[in-house]
Amino acid sequence: MSISLVVPYYEVDAGKKELLNKMISSVTGYDELIIVWNQGMGFTRAVNKGYELAKGDFIVMACDDITFNNGDLRLLIDEKGVTSQHIEGREEQDFWGTCWCTPRWVYEKIGMIPEEYADGIYWEDEDYWRRCQANNIPLILNKDVTINHPHGGRTLELVGDRAVKNAKNKAVFDSFWNK
């Protein structure tokens, strides 16, 4: 079973490359590393491009500013559904949008993030887990894999227009899910 690691990377300042290098050095267990240089294409398009390029039986999406405490991605493999890890210092939940592992069959069944989210921020991961639930695909939390995400939102703070971009994707989400 091979694992492709997809990392959407957006270099908004000099410290971002250091965070990317720290993330990559903290993780093990992947067979293929795909870093998608997101120079303004947006999180959605970067993730989707990485998934299109991935050749693995399992595809892990990981944000560029996380670090793995227990970093072997093989612990996230579960053929039954989409697996995510625990984030240190945060409450437990079934799915985290900072990192998740998708079996190839799930990707082939439901695809990735709709492009309508491409110009906004947030809501893409919630849409993804809702589509998993709508297709009876289990969301599995593996507490044996833990990460730190101390810089969450850093890119968004430096890019600007956070409230406008959030409102845009909230409207897209609401249109898909009738909320």
Side-chain angles (χ1 to χ4, degrees):
M1 303 253 200
S2 61
I3 298 176
S4 297
L5 174 58
V6 172
V7 182
Y9 175 66
Y10 193 16
E11 189 170 316
V12 292
D13 66 6
K16 209 55 193 306
K17 187 171 253 176
E18 182 180 322
L19 290 174
L20 174 67
N21 289 332
K22 188 175 179 182
M23 189 281 288
I24 292 170
S25 67
S26 73
V27 64
T28 60
Y30 59 88
D31 302 292
E32 174 184 45
L33 175 61
I34 300 168
I35 299 172
V36 181
W37 191 275
N38 168 10
Q39 212 52 35
M41 75 167 52
F43 177 79
T44 298
R45 288 186 186 103
V47 170
N48 289 351
K49 183 64 173 173
Y51 269 63
E52 287 172 21
L53 296 170
K55 295 178 179 70
D57 300 311
F58 292 86
I59 307 166
V60 175
M61 191 303 297
C63 288
D64 60 6
D65 60 351
I66 64 173
T67 54
F68 288 80
N69 295 336
N70 300 318
D72 195 328
L73 296 181
R74 299 202 180 280
L75 294 172
L76 290 177
I77 288 178
D78 194 323
E79 188 64 45
K80 294 182 297 244
V82 175
T83 309
S84 63
Q85 74 304 310
H86 179 67
I87 298 180
E88 290 290 326
R90 304 249 182 109
E91 64 186 57
E92 248 180 58
Q93 62 187 49
D94 291 337
F95 183 79
W96 288 98
T98 52
C99 178
W100 69 83
C101 178
T102 307
R104 179 152 300 275
W105 72 265
V106 171
Y107 172 57
E108 291 170 354
K109 181 174 183 173
I110 67 170
M112 266 318 292
I113 303 168
E115 291 286 322
E116 288 87 345
Y117 288 105
D119 297 321
I121 57 170
Y122 299 128
W123 300 96
E124 306 99 324
D125 54 343
E126 187 165 343
D127 178 272
Y128 185 71
W129 71 256
R130 289 254 179 121
R131 286 187 300 118
C132 286
Q133 290 177 324
N135 285 278
N136 296 315
I137 297 167
L139 298 170
I140 303 157
L141 173 66
N142 185 327
K143 293 187 224 174
D144 292 332
V145 180
T146 58
I147 65 168
N148 285 321
H149 192 219
H151 305 286
R154 176 184 177 152
T155 299
L156 302 174
E157 289 168 8
L158 295 170
V159 171
D161 294 334
R162 190 176 191 161
V164 171
K165 291 179 179 181
N166 182 37
K168 177 177 176 150
N169 273 6
K170 172 78 166 79
V172 171
F173 181 85
D174 290 346
S175 73
F176 283 150
W177 298 101
N178 298 317
K179 299 281 178 195

